Amino acid sequence: MLKRNDNLIVNRGLDPLQVQCYTAPIVNDNQSFIDNLTIEGILPPNPPFELHPYISELHLEKYEKYIIGTFPPISYILDHPAIIIPIVGIPTRPWIPFYHGNRGSMWEYLLTNPEYAALEAIIPLPNNLNPAPARIAAKNFLIAFLQKEKINYSDIIQSVQRVQYNANDTGLRNICINKDLICHILTNENAKYLLFNTGSTFSAQGLQIHQNANVNGVVGNVNVAKSQAFDLFVRGCQDMGLTVAIRIQHGPTLHFNWTTINIPNTPFLQTQMHNKVAFEIQVSNPNNLKLPCGEFKSPKILTVITGPSPSPIALLGLANNQNYLNWVMVNPGANQHDFIEFIYQNFRGHINLDNFYDLNV
């Protein structure tokens, strides 16, 4: 369990010693949360454990590409079949009952303009009056799109508690990683490309490594303080006993060779792994550990894309991002929206890796 906060657990009336990932206390607490909402209609002052609402709705296939996010905002709870009364503090349900369904921000970038217009033709812009059949039809439209484009989508967090009821990933605690997603990627012989909606590697701060052992980190493991999707994926691999290394090779040009994420390599990683959009990771099982997903061909090499988040607030953060500023210099007149769209549109089509590696600083 990442970013462990025992106070949040105790405040729910649970014993921290009994609460572990994928166990009954988490499931039971979530059910208690739902039961109370159906009666009181008020979000509890002590945030509950939430189970991801959409993971089971989209079956992962043996595609080459994956898009990976974190966890949806609390508004999804209004679509729970047991919730039939208004909930204080949640003014509207998601526009579409699916990943990135609140305002459709990611779909605005991943779909073409005609495709997005077709989505809007199914369902009007966000409001609470959209009828259920239209909302389901819009979800099915997006699922069909992903299947047509052969893109897997999932989130890296399976269950979690929030510090506050908002969409801020840094406020997520007691995170349980979606191990099924990691296992699917490692055992899918076709898996090649991972696009993470967030990753510290895209920021100026770059990849952070735990220097000291504490309740939230083992020395040498990735620090997941910001709950970014790429960081959580790597940390999930490390917590399963796997080793993760990073390389940047743009065509025949080797920018730096395989570098394992560990303490000895921390200075190099922290000075090099920032403002990077494209690189490769190598996941290996040097100790031949038995994993929950069974065997995978070790090492597994994957190309990673970590650009800006598709959330509206990301547009503000891009103003000072060096990757974006460099791109604008060669694309005069373009804006933040165009930059995010450039990344998603290049990922969904026939991937030209030059387009991504050229964005690295």
Side-chain angles (χ1 to χ4, degrees), residues 231-252:
D231 306 52
L232 290 167
F233 176 84
V234 174
R235 180 64 179 276
C237 290
Q238 292 175 321
D239 286 352
M240 291 165 64
L242 304 174
T243 298
V244 182
I246 291 178
R247 178 183 71 178
I248 297 182
Q249 180 164 347
H250 183 186

Side-chain angles (χ1 to χ4, degrees), residues 70-101:
T70 51
F71 201 83
I74 189 63
S75 58
Y76 76 84
I77 201 67
L78 293 180
D79 277 321
H80 193 285
I83 306 297
I84 58 175
I85 60 175
I87 305 300
V88 176
I90 312 180
T92 58
R93 61 187 176 181
W95 176 34
I96 301 168
F98 197 54
Y99 295 101
H100 298 275

Side-chain angles (χ1 to χ4, degrees), residues 184-318:
H184 192 275
I185 292 169
L186 295 181
T187 58
N188 175 9
E189 63 274 15
N190 297 324
K192 289 184 179 179
Y193 308 108
L194 311 180
L195 189 159
F196 290 91
N197 282 333
T198 53
S200 64
T201 45
F202 181 69
S203 71
Q205 183 183 23
L207 200 64
Q208 301 296 302
I209 313 295
H210 276 288
Q211 304 298 302
N212 302 293
N214 57 52
V215 68
N216 285 313
V218 175
V219 173
N221 280 6
V222 168
N223 187 325
V224 294
K226 293 186 177 180
S227 302
Q228 304 213 52
F230 172 70
D231 306 52
L232 290 167
F233 176 84
V234 174
R235 180 64 179 276
C237 290
Q238 292 175 321
D239 286 352
M240 291 165 64
L242 304 174
T243 298
V244 182
I246 291 178
R247 178 183 71 178
I248 297 182
Q249 180 164 347
H250 183 186
T253 305
L254 181 65
H255 292 270
F256 67 84
N257 211 339
W258 289 118
T259 304
T260 301
I261 298 175
N262 58 23
I263 282 292
N265 293 329
T266 296
F268 182 73
L269 289 168
Q270 290 188 340
T271 58
Q272 297 296 320
M273 284 311 297
H274 62 86
N275 291 114
K276 296 295 184 287
V277 173
F279 51 92
E280 302 90 58
I281 61 169
Q282 178 178 267
V283 183
S284 56
N285 187 5
N287 298 317
N288 295 315
L289 298 174
K290 185 176 181 180
L291 305 177
C293 45
E295 299 294 328
F296 77 96
K297 187 176 181 181
S298 175
K300 179 82 170 181
I301 297 175
L302 301 152
T303 297
V304 170
I305 309 299
T306 59
S309 165
S311 69
I313 198 170
L315 293 174
L316 302 176
L318 273 177

Side-chain angles (χ1 to χ4, degrees), residues 97-115:
F98 197 54
Y99 295 101
H100 298 275
N102 262 24
R103 299 187 180 279
S105 54
M106 188 190 78
W107 306 110
E108 184 179 357
Y109 300 119
L110 189 62
L111 301 175
T112 63
N113 289 338
E115 289 166 344

Side-chain angles (χ1 to χ4, degrees), residues 100-177:
H100 298 275
N102 262 24
R103 299 187 180 279
S105 54
M106 188 190 78
W107 306 110
E108 184 179 357
Y109 300 119
L110 189 62
L111 301 175
T112 63
N113 289 338
E115 289 166 344
Y116 194 76
L119 177 64
E120 289 182 314
I122 296 172
I123 187 169
L125 288 174
N127 68 71
N128 261 356
L129 301 178
N130 290 329
R135 298 176 74 240
I136 298 302
K139 177 181 72 174
N140 291 338
F141 174 92
L142 294 175
I143 291 174
F145 162 77
L146 290 169
Q147 292 171 336
K148 177 178 71 72
E149 295 296 322
K150 296 186 177 181
I151 298 173
N152 284 314
Y153 190 99
S154 192
D155 281 345
I156 192 60
I157 297 176
Q158 184 180 63
S159 64
V160 73
Q161 280 184 286
R162 304 178 198 264
V163 174
Q164 295 179 324
Y165 295 108
N166 57 34
N168 190 342
D169 284 350
T170 61
L172 303 179
R173 299 291 186 273
N174 297 322
I175 294 171
C176 291
I177 291 293

